[in-house]
Amino acid sequence: MNNVKRRTKTIVLSIIISLLVFPIVLGFESRGNLLMQYGRNFVFCTVFGGPFLLIAGVPVHLLAGFIVEKSKRFKLTVSFLIHILPAAAIGFALFGEAAFLIGIPVISAAVFFAVDALIYRRVNHPIKIAGVVLLPALIYVLMCIPQLIQKAEFREIKNEPRPMAELTVNEQTSSIRLGSCWDSDDSSGCPIDREPYLLPTDDVGVAEFQVNGEAFAELNFLNTDRSFTLEVYYLTDYGVEKIKTDQNGFTLPDGIKEQVIKGTATMDNSQKVSFSVGIRSGNR
């Protein structure tokens, strides 16, 4: 009966501590009330993380307890591995595309392990107690390192100057106006403009080039050496045609109607730089 009470106490404390730690793992915005952010994260984690702890965390914890009871040596090591390895596997399965979230089930498993060692198994050696208590914090720090490196790299990238470029079409060169956004390929939050349109006789506020016959265009960035993939969209009698190349040059066919073509250069740092250019061919 005492074992059942201690086991129940261990599970309840582990769930409470995990729910209190989860909001910290999610992180906070650099601005705003930290207490309000913590409260918001806590509600989110309780609603979505609570069932996860009951469905996955508790059964794994009970399984670990059963196996450890059968072990004759290295009970703490066995308990640690049985808690952590399934949690890591679950984390990769659920959050493989969001690496920092993998730490949530792993940290929860570390909490279950630590509380089990202190409350149920009553570890009393000072070095073991220190190791058990510091283990969840150490795992959290290790999980944060990739995220911190990624944030530092992204901050460095965002501090780069805004791209400037010029376009040369059949030896005519002009600066072009650029738009930019940061996101991954094919994201709805940073879309590629695939909608060229016929060019009216009036000025539409974009650089224009007079061409006669086939038009070879070359895009050159003036203040960055980053590599990029270029996508260009233009109109034909049959609809919108696409040119995609990892070079900075592209060719427009002879006889296209006067139009505004649309281009997007996707840089190797996930920045998308878009531009619109008018082509005057005499074909209206």
Side-chain angles (χ1 to χ4, degrees):
M1 183 61 69
N2 287 336
N3 286 346
V4 173
K5 288 183 177 179
R6 290 209 310 275
R7 180 62 69 192
T8 302
K9 184 178 180 181
T10 298
I11 292 173
V12 172
L13 280 176
S14 298
I15 292 176
I16 292 173
I17 294 172
S18 294
L19 292 177
L20 291 173
V21 170
F22 283 170
I24 301 174
V25 178
L26 285 181
F28 303 104
E29 299 174 3
S30 57
R31 299 179 181 179
N33 188 306
L34 292 181
L35 186 59
M36 290 185 62
Q37 291 183 49
Y38 178 88
R40 185 171 63 248
N41 287 354
F42 179 78
V43 172
F44 176 82
C45 292
T46 300
V47 172
F48 293 98
F52 169 80
L53 291 173
L54 294 174
I55 295 172
V58 173
V60 170
H61 173 69
L62 294 175
L63 175 64
F66 174 78
I67 294 177
V68 169
E69 292 298 333
K70 301 296 183 181
S71 302
K72 296 182 179 180
R73 301 179 62 189
F74 308 113
K75 290 181 179 292
L76 280 179
T77 302
V78 172
S79 177
F80 171 75
L81 293 176
I82 297 175
H83 277 94
I84 297 298
L85 294 181
I90 292 172
F92 276 106
L94 293 178
F95 311 118
E97 296 183 358
F100 76 99
L101 291 178
I102 297 173
I104 291 180
V106 175
I107 290 170
S108 176
V111 170
F112 270 90
F113 162 75
V115 175
D116 177 75
L118 297 175
I119 302 299
Y120 186 81
R121 308 202 179 279
R122 296 179 176 176
V123 171
N124 53 21
H125 192 285
I127 296 179
K128 290 184 178 181
I129 291 175
V132 166
V133 170
L134 293 175
L135 185 63
L138 177 61
I139 289 177
Y140 174 66
V141 171
L142 292 176
M143 290 291 178
C144 284
I145 288 176
Q147 186 182 6
L148 293 174
I149 294 174
Q150 186 178 32
K151 283 185 176 180
E153 291 177 345
F154 186 68
R155 186 162 50 247
E156 182 179 347
I157 288 172
K158 291 204 72 173
N159 287 333
E160 294 181 4
R162 183 181 179 87
M164 299 173 60
E166 59 183 20
L167 189 71
T168 300
V169 179
N170 289 357
E171 299 183 355
Q172 307 169 60
T173 299
S174 176
S175 298
I176 56 175
R177 191 161 44 191
L178 303 175
S180 66
C181 58
W182 296 87
D183 216 327
S184 57
D185 289 344
D186 299 323
S187 168
S188 60
C190 191
I192 292 177
D193 188 348
R194 299 178 171 90
E195 302 295 332
Y197 59 90
L198 294 178
L199 184 61
T201 55
D202 297 332
D203 182 16
V204 293
V206 300
E208 295 184 6
F209 295 88
Q210 190 74 38
V211 302
N212 183 17
E214 193 175 65
F216 177 73
E218 189 174 50
L219 177 68
N220 292 301
F221 285 97
L222 305 178
N223 57 346
T224 179
D225 294 325
R226 289 191 174 277
S227 60
F228 58 89
T229 300
L230 184 62
E231 292 184 32
V232 177
Y233 295 85
Y234 65 95
L235 288 171
T236 70
D237 292 336
Y238 305 101
V240 177
E241 293 290 333
K242 171 185 175 181
I243 299 171
K244 184 171 183 178
T245 176
D246 57 4
Q247 306 296 320
N248 68 331
F250 60 94
T251 300
L252 299 172
D254 182 14
I256 63 172
K257 291 184 177 181
E258 294 191 349
Q259 60 184 275
V260 174
I261 65 171
K262 297 299 182 78
T264 298
T266 301
M267 316 297 281
D268 59 9
N269 59 2
S270 295
Q271 184 180 22
K272 290 184 178 180
V273 180
S274 58
F275 60 92
S276 300
V277 174
I279 299 296
R280 297 283 186 188
S281 63
N283 180 13
R284 304 197 57 80

